[in-house]
Structures are given as C-alpha cells and as structure tokens.
Amino acid sequence: MSRPYSLPSLTSLACFEAAARHNSFKSAARELNVTPAAISHQVKALELDLAQPLFRRQHRGVELTEAGAYLFVALQRGFTGISGAVREIRGRPDGEEVVVHATTAVSAFWLTPQISAFWLAHPDIVVSQIVSDIDPTEPRVDLSIHYGDVPGDGEDCRPLFRDGIVAVGSTAYARTHDMRGIADLTRAPLIHMASDRREWTGWTDWLATFGAGAPTGKRFTVNNFMIALQLAQDGVGAVLGWKTLIGSLLEQGSLVRLCPQEVVSPHVFYLRIHPRASPNARVFADWIATPSGDRTGVAADGAAVRDLSEGGSLS
C-alpha cells in the first residue's frame, strides 16, 4: 500500500526549518537541543533525498537557495497549521503566551528583532509567532501585522511604520547589467510580485513615478516576498523592497541599491489588536507601537525600564 504523502524524514524537515528560520546551523542546534553537526547531517540527508542543495555554505554562515526558500515557505505554512490545531486541542490556559501573526518577511526582518528587545524589558511575557503569508484565520491570534490603509471602522489598530520603497539587486546583477540609473532598470530583468492585493507597489507604478517607461526586460513572477528576495540575492533580477524590512540585507551587502531614487510607501504597516487579546497582548501592542526612542516607561511589574531595543531594531 502506497503512502498518502510524499515526505522525506520529518526529523530532517524540522532541522531544516529551524536552520532556515535562524539562517544558522548553530542557532538551530541550540533551539532543538542537539549539536550543529547533527543539524548539518540532517540537512545533508534532506538535500541528498531531494537531489539538490537547499543552502549555500559560506564563511559567514548559510543562505537559502531558491529551492530552499521554496521549501521553507511551504514548511512554515504546514507547521503553522499543525501548531494551531495543537493549541486548539490543548486549550489556552490563563497567562499563556501572546500570539502574533505576521508574514514571513515581516517576521524575519522586523518582528523577531522587536520581540527579542521586548523580552529584555518584559522577561515574564512570552510572545509567540504564527508566520504565514495568508490572512490570519487562527482563532488564538491576539495581534496581527498588516500592510495597507489603517481601518477606520472601529477596529483597534495602531500604525507601526511607513517606509521607502527602493530598487535592489545583487552586486553581480548591478555589474552584469551596468546599472547606472532608472533607465537601465526598464531594460533589465525584474522580479515581479504576483498578488491580488492592490496595496502592492509594482514595477510599472514605481518607474512611472520618475517618468520612466514600463519595463521591457525579462520578467520573473513569484507570489512570495521572501522568495523574491532570494532570487534577487542570486542575481536573477532586481526587486522592489521596503527599506526597513530589507535593511539587514543591505547592511550585509547581500543586496545593494541600484539607484538612489525611492518612493514613499503609499500605505503603512499597522498592528491590529484582536477582540480576544489578553492584557499581556495589549502590553506588547503598546510597546511595539511606540517609537524605539520613546520606549522608556514602566514594565509590567511596575519597575522602571529603559529602552533596550536600540541597535536591535530595524525601525
């Protein structure tokens, strides 16, 4: 009798997901309480099973390949569904962790550093994430992060940040296509986001802001921003990105700005506080919606705290 699912070792998938989420075998090993060698062994076994590499091994760490990014997104969606079902079965006791929903990119590049800083100021409040690029349906979500116009229909929402949208690519891409200005972008390969959301700023609108014509170069289309960023790092094409979200990639040199122009984002990233949000969730909401420079206040237990997020936040 054939198996209903085409799956490799579940252990190898769990090790790969942790390594991809942390972008580090060592951090994954600490999370799973095993050795880095064990993580490396499981990942290599998975790569052998799939007959292609999932990571690029570099002296400064590891980076996902295109296949690795694709598998990572699929695993996170699957694990998110499993985690939600388990929480639903177990029930939620009083004082359980705050649950925040965010997209893969927002989680990796903005929310996770914010949570790390929050824990320094509020060590007794546990914050967990549901990472998914589809709208939250999990009933246990306290807070969720969205991109668009802040609703004015009575929902409890807080603006987080409005960003600049810039054109970025790899250094190899910039050199290969002799990037000197916006006009060069109209003829070069571009990575487009396929989305039914009108909030997204696409290449045609971005270029038109500066009087440039519609793009005529090779077109690559994906429906996930993390995969788009990975393709850009691989030199496949240029991509549009929010400066705050991709700040770490620019600092590392994984991506570079291809021209100095930028478009102010027409929408904001905002936090929605769900009706079932716990008191601890509202503490976190107040904290994360406050600019990092103003986060000097009172901790949950009444003790004075100072802002410990400076330098750890991309905002």
Side-chain angles (χ1 to χ4, degrees), residues 185-231:
L185 283 167
T186 63
R187 300 183 291 270
L190 302 178
I191 301 167
H192 297 254
M193 286 294 299
S195 175
D196 56 2
R197 298 183 177 182
R198 291 174 296 176
E199 297 91 348
W200 288 94
T201 298
W203 276 109
T204 298
D205 292 336
W206 192 89
L207 291 166
T209 302
F210 307 104
T216 59
K218 194 170 184 180
R219 178 188 184 103
F220 299 92
T221 303
V222 297
N223 63 356
N224 181 274
F225 188 52
M226 290 291 281
I227 292 177
L229 290 175
Q230 189 61 56
L231 288 172

Side-chain angles (χ1 to χ4, degrees), residues 115-129:
I115 291 174
S116 297
F118 176 77
W119 280 339
L120 293 176
H122 299 267
D124 296 331
I125 299 179
V126 178
V127 181
S128 298
Q129 297 184 61

Side-chain angles (χ1 to χ4, degrees), residues 16 22 29 50 86 102 106 108 135 213 220 271 275 277:
F16 165 76
H22 290 288
L50 300 177
V86 170
V106 169
D135 289 334
F220 299 92
L271 182 73

